[in-house]
Amino acid sequence: MPEFFPFIPGNETGRAARQHASDASPLLGRFRAVPPSRAGGATSSRASQQQSLGLLTAGGRGSVHVGYGTLLVAGLEGDYSDEEDEDEDGDEDGDGDDGNVRGCGAVWRRTGRAWRRFVRLSRRSVRDLWIAPRQPAVKRVVERWWSRWAVLVFLPAALAVAWVALPFPQYPLSPSHERTHPQPHENPKTGPDSDHRAPGHGEARVQVNFWFFLLVYYGFYNLTALIWITKVFNLYSLNWWPSTLGFPLTVSLIAALSLAAPIPIYLIPEARYVTIHNTAWISWTFVIMAMPVAIAFCILMTHERHLGLRNSLSETQRIFTSSWWTGKTDTLSVTRNHNRRRGLMGRGASSFDPDATLQVADQSPGQRLPAFMQRRRWLPASFVRFVWFCLALFVGLLAYLAGEAYAEIYLRTLPHNSFETIVYVYSWVVTVHLLDALTGWILGASEGERVGSYPLSWIFKLYFMLTYQTYVRALYARLRSPSQFIWLQALSSGFLIILTPLTMTQTYHRVLSMLGLTSQSYASYQKICTRNVFIRFLAENVSMLTFLGSILVLHFGANKDVYPYFAFDDPDELYDFGLTFYASMITWACELAAGIVLRGLIRCIFGVNANVEGKMDLAVWPELLPTSVAVMLHVLQSMLFSIIRLHFR
């Protein structure tokens, strides 16, 4: 938590009290709250006040974001400005020293200072945005629409497209494989192996280098997954790695294990067939992502965090126990039920005597309880909260595997008509929303619930929304006519524009409350719905931009034969590159228009701005920015990884 006011202990006669004795610094018990002083006097104070008022009056207009978060962002903005002012003052002082210097030496010195300042600012920007995010830095990025688009849409899409565009070392297929599997321009139904049905994402056309795939392609994929899990733990405020090893060494060991384990399978000829299945690699990534969760669980169990009381009581705490009077360092180990049973066994059922004098009786050495019975038999709330958090992660990873299964079923049963396509899409929509609702219930959005973390619910909502969008984008490459695009987009945009405002009404919220499906107030419920609109906007744009970019680089790039799903060069296929690309662009334009209409309706009907809600969330919880980029990149990589065709040399 940041420090709002430094508290100075003392009394009214101290020098600090005389210095700060004013109405602006009231005495709070034995402490006095002193506002932090700023360099620059009244000018800096006025600038800070204007920045605070600007956020609350302009940036926060149309928001239901209530609480101390808005004031927190406003207060910290001045700190960031002060740091920049110091850098600028230092550069100006340096320029003044060289004011009388002429020649090339002065130019080189000014150029060197400008370069050093650029490096210093870049390093600070990377630190304040990605490594240890700070609220002022994140707010400056998300405040402007073009920088927000650059960081939250273009950056993850560009990283995913660049990753998939890495040229694989490719080799021709062996003659035995060519006889078994038809070539791209051959019809598999007329060949000698007519009973063989090619998978929907194509047969392998070339052999690829195993070591390049493992160390570069798959290694970066696993690294992104580990970064995503780590960022989620950062939102949970828990370090999953052992403190004795540290984060760099622990991540390096897990990354090395993720790359070393598949090597024996590849080197054994009898087991090499496992390496050609995408599901095997994805399942191994699932195990790698579960390792941080298992490590954190083992650390908590080793430190006995699952026990109600782990440490000895202090002298003050022991005053309220019998250990103070008996002279023993007890730890509140004996429960009330066991005390009752001990009394019944020691003195009989009628041992209670209301007229007896109060006595403090010590326990004989033979009747002392074992150590494991001296601990409270209940789980602390922090440990229960961690178990709920692990369950939410498991459900999220389960959705990841379910998406792979859905995509495999759809691609292996091609071609489909419009009705079958709609059934597939909306069965997947229902599945994702059910898993999303379950995860949202587990995480909660307010304190006191199972996990009670609004930032975690934000990230998992983005995860599920993007998982749904990416697998829908993937089937766009197998739509055969413009009518299928029209049907899908009409249903999607229609449901979005009509149902979303209806679900934000007080009547709908009242029905949910009566059914026991929500316990939130209407303002909190409206906040969640508006936030979901902003998250859907991010998921739609980053998934479509990645889809269009991947089509271009895979259809015209060096990896065309590694990704036959986007080749579009089989004359017997009903799918066309031009139809897929241009129809997808029109679909994207329709989605942008539907998003603008929806946000306009929400602003007119409810007086809430979805963009402001998203910006406020990112500014109040700065860790959301790097976590959002990590989860976007991981889900986009998963979509592209599911359609690669592997056949190693």
Side-chain angles (χ1 to χ4, degrees):
M1 288 293 293
E3 184 181 10
F4 292 95
F5 299 102
F7 289 94
I8 301 178
N11 50 38
E12 286 299 300
T13 60
R15 182 175 59 85
R18 292 192 301 270
Q19 179 182 356
H20 302 289
S22 64
D23 296 336
S25 58
L27 182 67
L28 303 177
R30 297 177 56 210
F31 301 92
R32 182 175 295 280
V34 181
S37 60
R38 298 202 181 275
T43 303
S44 179
S45 300
R46 285 194 300 269
S48 178
Q49 184 178 4
Q50 290 175 358
Q51 290 166 353
S52 301
L53 294 176
L55 177 67
L56 295 177
T57 58
R61 183 180 293 120
S63 171
V64 295
H65 201 296
V66 294
Y68 62 85
T70 54
L71 298 176
L72 190 61
V73 176
L76 292 179
E77 181 71 22
D79 297 336
Y80 198 78
S81 300
D82 292 343
E83 293 179 5
E84 291 187 346
D85 293 339
E86 291 175 1
D87 292 336
E88 294 176 357
D89 294 340
D91 294 335
E92 291 176 357
D93 294 339
D95 294 339
D97 295 337
D98 293 336
N100 298 324
V101 180
R102 298 292 185 266
C104 297
V107 175
W108 281 109
R109 279 192 290 272
R110 280 195 291 267
T111 303
R113 274 196 303 273
W115 172 253
R116 287 192 298 271
R117 183 172 183 270
F118 173 76
V119 172
R120 183 171 62 252
L121 292 177
S122 300
R123 186 182 305 166
R124 191 177 65 186
S125 298
V126 171
R127 180 197 63 200
D128 294 346
L129 287 177
W130 309 110
I131 300 176
R134 296 183 59 209
Q135 291 171 324
V138 173
K139 179 182 178 295
R140 290 165 63 91
V141 171
V142 302
E143 189 68 28
R144 297 177 291 270
W145 71 268
W146 56 268
S147 59
R148 187 169 64 250
W149 267 72
V151 172
L152 292 174
V153 177
F154 286 100
L155 178 60
L159 290 176
V161 173
W163 171 73
V164 80
L166 292 174
F168 275 82
Q170 303 174 22
Y171 314 96
L173 289 174
S174 60
S176 60
H177 191 273
E178 290 179 355
R179 289 194 301 267
T180 305
H181 300 285
Q183 292 300 306
H185 299 287
E186 296 179 1
N187 190 349
K189 296 183 180 180
T190 60
D193 197 12
S194 58
D195 293 335
H196 173 74
R197 185 177 181 87
H201 44 286
E203 289 282 4
R205 299 183 176 185
V206 293
Q207 293 181 344
V208 296
N209 187 280
F210 172 79
W211 303 107
F212 178 86
F213 166 82
L214 181 68
L215 300 177
V216 179
Y217 188 87
Y218 189 65
F220 185 69
Y221 178 64
N222 279 343
L223 180 62
T224 305
L226 288 175
I227 292 176
W228 174 60
I229 289 295
T230 302
K231 287 298 181 182
V232 171
F233 270 92
N234 289 346
L235 286 178
Y236 186 75
S237 301
L238 178 67
N239 294 335
W240 60 265
W241 57 89
S243 58
T244 55
L245 297 180
F247 175 73
L249 181 58
T250 307
V251 170
S252 300
L253 292 176
I254 295 179
L257 176 63
S258 68
L259 300 179
I263 295 178
I265 300 177
Y266 169 74
L267 296 178
I268 300 175
E270 292 78 9
R272 185 174 297 182
Y273 73 94
V274 178
T275 61
I276 68 174
H277 296 286
N278 297 3
T279 308
W281 293 99
I282 292 173
S283 300
W284 177 237
T285 303
F286 179 90
V287 175
I288 295 299
M289 295 174 67
M291 284 185 180
V293 183
I295 292 174
F297 188 83
C298 293
I299 291 175
L300 294 181
M301 296 293 291
T302 303
H303 294 172
E304 298 184 347
R305 295 292 297 271
H306 61 293
L307 301 177
L309 193 63
R310 304 178 302 277
N311 303 319
S312 300
L313 298 178
S314 64
E315 296 297 324
T316 304
Q317 292 172 328
R318 289 180 57 230
I319 295 176
F320 303 97
T321 65
S322 60
S323 62
W324 176 267
W325 311 103
T326 59
K328 294 183 179 180
T329 58
D330 201 350
T331 59
L332 282 182
S333 57
V334 183
T335 62
R336 183 178 303 174
N337 293 334
H338 186 82
N339 284 334
R340 185 179 297 112
R341 290 194 300 269
R342 183 186 60 182
L344 292 176
M345 290 185 297
R347 293 182 294 175
S350 59
S351 60
F352 177 71
D353 185 4
D355 298 327
T357 58
L358 178 63
Q359 296 179 358
V360 179
D362 194 6
Q363 197 176 2
S364 61
Q367 296 178 349
R368 295 196 62 179
L369 295 175
F372 72 92
M373 295 182 62
Q374 296 182 4
R375 294 169 177 172
R376 300 180 64 96
R377 298 185 178 182
W378 50 267
L379 296 175
S382 59
F383 185 78
V384 175
R385 183 171 178 261
F386 177 75
V387 172
W388 282 114
F389 170 68
C390 294
L391 182 60
L393 284 175
F394 175 77
V395 174
L397 298 179
L398 183 63
Y400 169 58
L401 295 179
E404 295 295 330
Y406 261 89
E408 186 70 17
I409 293 173
Y410 179 82
L411 294 176
R412 286 189 177 275
T413 55
L414 290 170
H416 298 289
N417 55 33
S418 299
F419 176 76
E420 293 172 344
T421 301
I422 292 173
V423 170
Y424 165 80
V425 170
Y426 283 94
S427 62
W428 173 237
V429 169
V430 171
T431 303
V432 170
H433 280 77
L434 288 177
L435 294 175
D436 180 25
L438 177 60
T439 307
W441 178 83
I442 292 173
L443 294 174
S446 58
E447 295 184 3
E449 297 182 282
R450 285 143 296 278
V451 177
S453 175
Y454 179 82
L456 283 175
S457 66
W458 205 99
I459 286 298
F460 275 88
K461 171 62 71 172
L462 176 62
Y463 172 79
F464 282 103
M465 190 68 69
L466 192 58
T467 301
Y468 150 62
Q469 292 288 343
T470 50
Y471 288 105
V472 171
R473 305 303 188 201
L475 70 88
Y476 280 1
R478 290 301 178 263
L479 297 182
R480 297 176 297 165
S481 64
S483 62
Q484 293 182 333
F485 283 92
I486 293 173
W487 272 109
L488 284 178
Q489 187 56 38
L491 291 174
S492 177
S493 299
F495 283 138
L496 178 66
I497 295 175
I498 296 174
L499 293 182
T500 303
L502 291 178
T503 57
M504 293 180 63
T505 59
Q506 290 186 0
T507 303
Y508 189 83
H509 173 261
R510 193 177 299 113
V511 172
L512 293 179
S513 300
M514 289 188 298
L515 295 177
L517 298 179
T518 182
S519 58
Q520 296 175 331
S521 64
Y522 177 67
S524 300
Y525 174 77
Q526 189 184 70
K527 160 68 183 174
I528 298 298
C529 294
T530 311
R531 177 207 67 180
N532 294 344
V533 173
F534 179 81
I535 293 176
R536 182 186 178 98
F537 168 79
L538 292 179
E540 285 180 345
N541 287 282
V542 72
S543 60
M544 182 60 81
L545 187 61
T546 305
F547 178 72
L548 294 174
S550 61
I551 286 180
L552 291 175
V553 300
L554 293 178
H555 182 72
F556 298 104
N559 291 337
K560 181 177 181 178
D561 292 332
V562 183
Y563 283 87
Y565 187 76
F566 291 137
F568 300 108
D569 57 358
D570 191 344
D572 297 323
E573 287 183 348
L574 302 175
Y575 321 112
D576 179 66
F577 170 78
L579 172 65
T580 301
F581 184 78
Y582 293 111
S584 298
M585 290 189 64
I586 296 174
T587 300
W588 190 17
C590 294
E591 289 177 348
L592 290 174
I596 294 174
V597 172
L598 176 61
R599 289 193 295 273
L601 288 175
I602 293 175
R603 191 165 187 175
C604 293
I605 298 174
F606 304 101
V608 180
N609 193 327
N611 289 332
V612 172
E613 290 302 321
K615 292 188 296 184
M616 296 290 285
D617 285 345
L618 293 169
V620 173
W621 292 282
E623 194 69 38
L624 286 177
L625 180 64
T627 310
S628 299
V629 174
V631 69
M632 287 179 180
L633 181 58
H634 173 68
V635 175
L636 295 173
Q637 285 180 318
S638 300
M639 177 193 71
L640 297 170
F641 193 91
S642 63
I643 57 177
I644 192 175
R645 295 305 300 151
L646 298 175
H647 186 76
F648 298 114
R649 187 180 182 184

